[in-house]
Amino acid sequence: MRKVKSPDLVFLCGFMGSGKSSLGKSLARALNYDFIDLDHYIESNEKRSLPEIFQSDGEQLFRKLEQKYLRELLKQKGNKVIALGGGTVCFFDNLEIIKEHGYLIYLRLPVKTLCQRLSKARKERPLLKDLSDKDLHVFVEDLLEKRKPFYEQAHRIVDSLVTKPETLLNELRKIF
Ligand code: S3P
């Protein structure tokens, strides 16, 4: 396995519901890095929830805030595992900048699994909250197809149904 210089930053990307935050927390613990969830970082700095931001200012402003707080995190010192939002790598030049600053991992899951997970967690996600189960499937399928070309540029693609978290942690410990 080829060794890479231990990155100061490890990023997790993938569709909503792909488990970026829960894997991110385990990964941070295993590597002894801090853990940051970009969505929570935005909410705590803006002092309002994502649904409130989307509701009052719309997605476009949210994307600007996402870009701004991502850049702010990149400037800070210290080792971090950062769970990105589902769309972060698909806007502006976020993907290039993320890859320049750290190691990007894509958590890949099939549409069916994503829909099973997301049907129970729609309320807190502004892009999904008004969708029926049937519409959810079409929406996830379409959006994933559009986002795949971005996600698949990650340094490492993890098939989350196949690779157990411990296996990934061991692999990363070896290559870093
Ligand atoms: C979004 C995903 C969300 C959040 C926002 C937009 C997206 O993050 O950033 O609601 O565009 O896919 P999670 O992937 O953590 O749910």
Side-chain angles (χ1 to χ4, degrees):
M1 221 171 278
R2 196 167 67 90
K3 277 241 179 213
V4 296
K5 180 186 167 287
S6 278
D8 293 345
L9 301 174
V10 177
F11 298 93
L12 295 172
C13 74
F15 208 82
M16 292 172 265
S18 58
K20 301 178 290 286
S21 297
S22 66
L23 185 77
K25 283 179 197 155
S26 324
L27 197 54
R29 223 173 294 126
L31 298 171
N32 206 14
Y33 281 22
D34 288 335
F35 172 72
I36 306 261
D37 179 302
L38 180 60
D39 287 338
H40 294 162
Y41 187 76
I42 297 170
E43 289 178 323
S44 67
N45 280 280
E46 287 293 305
K47 298 185 181 53
R48 53 193 179 139
S49 67
L50 289 201
E52 281 166 344
I53 297 173
F54 270 74
Q55 174 81 29
S56 60
D57 299 312
E59 181 174 352
Q60 240 184 325
L61 182 91
F62 168 72
R63 296 301 169 195
K64 293 249 186 261
L65 292 173
E66 188 178 41
Q67 180 191 36
K68 169 182 150 186
Y69 288 113
L70 170 69
R71 272 150 212 272
E72 193 175 293
L73 282 176
L74 299 180
K75 283 196 205 123
Q76 295 173 2
K77 288 216 165 60
N79 294 333
K80 293 181 195 64
V81 173
I82 300 177
L84 301 165
T88 316
V89 297
C90 313
F91 289 85
F92 311 113
D93 55 354
N94 294 347
L95 176 62
E96 288 73 30
I97 294 200
I98 286 166
K99 286 180 69 183
E100 271 166 32
H101 281 79
Y103 189 81
L104 178 63
I105 301 170
Y106 167 32
L107 301 184
R108 182 160 63 187
L109 277 174
V111 172
K112 197 173 154 203
T113 315
L114 290 171
C115 289
Q116 281 162 353
R117 291 186 181 187
L118 290 170
S119 69
K120 293 171 219 123
R122 251 172 289 190
K123 263 197 239 119
E124 68 271 26
R125 293 190 164 93
L127 295 178
L128 308 179
K129 67 177 180 30
D130 299 324
L131 300 175
S132 66
D133 277 342
K134 195 165 146 268
D135 292 344
L136 178 70
H137 195 278
V138 176
F139 179 87
V140 171
E141 203 164 40
D142 285 355
L143 191 57
L144 183 58
E145 212 42 48
K146 291 192 187 111
R147 289 182 170 179
K148 252 190 215 166
F150 297 94
Y151 294 153
E152 289 180 349
Q153 292 182 56
H155 296 109
R156 169 80 166 88
I157 298 178
V158 176
D159 280 304
S160 298
L161 283 189
V162 182
T163 308
K164 291 206 186 84
E166 310 84 72
T167 314
L168 177 66
L169 296 182
N170 285 333
E171 181 200 314
L172 294 179
R173 276 201 208 99
K174 275 184 214 144
I175 63 167
F176 289 167

